[in-house]
Amino acid sequence: MVLNMDSSRTRITKAVIPAAGLGTRFLPATKATPKEMLPVVDKPAIQYVVEEAVSAGLTDVLMITGRNKRPLEDHFDRNHELEEALRKKGDEARLAKVAESNDLANIHYVRQGDPRGLGHAVLCAAEHVGDQPFAVLLGDDLIDPRDPLLARMVRAQADHGGSVIALMEVDPEQIHLYGCAAVETTADSDVVRVTNLVEKPATADAPSNYAVIGRYVLDPAVFDVLRTTEPGRGNEIQLTDALQRLATDEALDSPVYGVVFKGRRYDTGDRGDYLRAIVRLACEREDLGADMRAWLRKYVAEEMAD
Ligand code: UTP
């Protein structure tokens, strides 16, 4: 284990949440609403993500927003009118739900202007982040709070230095949907050294079945690399391309590690997976689960009878 004394002394406090994408896969829902505001059961996806950052000890959150940032800002701010109406009705339970996102974290916003890709969105955080390691969380991946991934990644970054990405083993047939990492083992059983990254490879060309998922703890060295990263796939500045350079160019002296996650992750970036995530989470909820499971059983039985 390489102990990086500088980073172990630096407590990571800043989280960056890119939310400026066009969300084209969810049109028309995302015509006037950021994808991150779509509800997962009864809470917008972005609130789960902010709660995850806070529970990993990251209380300074920077959201990278785009043309329709208003709903995001409003969601994390007080709504006096609504609170007053609920108070008058004596509806304490709903009042608590409305208020729970008000003071979760210190939330800051920066506009991306043109959505020129995830790498460009991360680069918009450079001034706010400064020269400390920081986390990036994507709203497309929901990580079950019972399986804390980000806190493990923060510890791995303190132990190993450099940047840490989240990896998950997927069916080789699915790897073309993800960034894919070539890896070497380290002394930590759940941490690997990333030796190369390939964006969305065909199964036959994939160096492994380790898929990159939407959590990162990044060395600020990534900003200089992003500044000189040319647009890649989809003519967008790709974060994966910058991480690939960090992983493969030893002269940059900023290695990339991966934490292998085996916990529960819900993909909400794709319509089918989004719907499945909602059904799964609703089935697990104390207030909704029993009804939902009974209805599902009946529905499936009827479908099978047809
Ligand atoms: P996606 O690749 O999922 O893009 O971005 P998207 O635009 O949100 O969705 P689709 O593919 O058109 O449906 C991954 C994350 O990066 C953010 C998105 O908001 C999402 O959280 N992002 C992407 C930006 O903040 N800026 C960009 O220029 C691109």
Side-chain angles (χ1 to χ4, degrees), residues 186-228:
T186 71
D188 286 337
S189 63
D190 63 339
V191 180
V192 290
R193 167 94 185 241
V194 175
T195 56
N196 201 1
L197 283 168
V198 193
E199 188 62 25
K200 302 191 167 93
T203 307
D205 304 328
S208 74
N209 64 334
Y210 284 121
V212 179
I213 60 170
R215 298 292 178 274
Y216 309 80
V217 176
L218 299 177
D219 184 338
V222 75
F223 293 130
D224 275 343
V225 178
L226 281 169
R227 280 185 192 101
T228 57

Side-chain angles (χ1 to χ4, degrees), residues 18-25 35-36 64 112 115-118 121 138-140:
L22 295 177
T24 54
R25 285 169 292 174
K35 175 172 75 173
E36 290 73 9
I64 314 296
Q112 189 182 3
R116 291 168 54 202
L118 176 58
L138 303 189
D140 282 359

Side-chain angles (χ1 to χ4, degrees), residues 12-19 46 49-50 53 58 60-65 108 110 118 120-126 128-130 132-139 150 214-216 218 223:
I12 299 179
T13 55
K14 289 184 180 165
V16 174
I17 304 181
I46 190 94
V49 176
V50 172
L58 315 182
D60 179 307
V61 172
L62 178 71
M63 283 190 200
I64 314 296
T65 61
H108 312 268
V110 66
L118 176 58
H120 180 251
V122 170
L123 187 53
C124 293
H128 183 86
V129 165
Q132 312 282 317
F134 64 104
V136 174
L137 297 89
L138 303 189
L150 194 60
R215 298 292 178 274
Y216 309 80
L218 299 177
F223 293 130

Side-chain angles (χ1 to χ4, degrees), residues 52 141-153 165-170 189-192 209-215 258-266:
E52 181 191 340
D141 285 313
L142 292 189
I143 303 295
D144 195 297
R146 292 165 291 184
D147 302 314
L149 167 63
L150 194 60
R152 175 68 190 111
M153 294 173 70
I165 63 178
L167 299 174
M168 203 162 178
E169 286 193 75
V170 297
S189 63
D190 63 339
V191 180
V192 290
N209 64 334
Y210 284 121
V212 179
I213 60 170
R215 298 292 178 274
V259 163
V260 179
F261 181 60
K262 294 195 188 318
R264 284 156 283 196
R265 160 189 173 256
Y266 312 103

Side-chain angles (χ1 to χ4, degrees), residues 36-53:
E36 290 73 9
M37 283 302 293
L38 296 183
V40 178
V41 189
D42 50 9
K43 202 156 72 170
I46 190 94
Q47 190 176 332
Y48 291 88
V49 176
V50 172
E51 286 169 354
E52 181 191 340

Side-chain angles (χ1 to χ4, degrees), residues 21-30 35 67 269 271:
L22 295 177
T24 54
R25 285 169 292 174
F26 280 88
L27 283 169
T30 46
K35 175 172 75 173
R67 73 215 142 83
R271 285 174 304 169

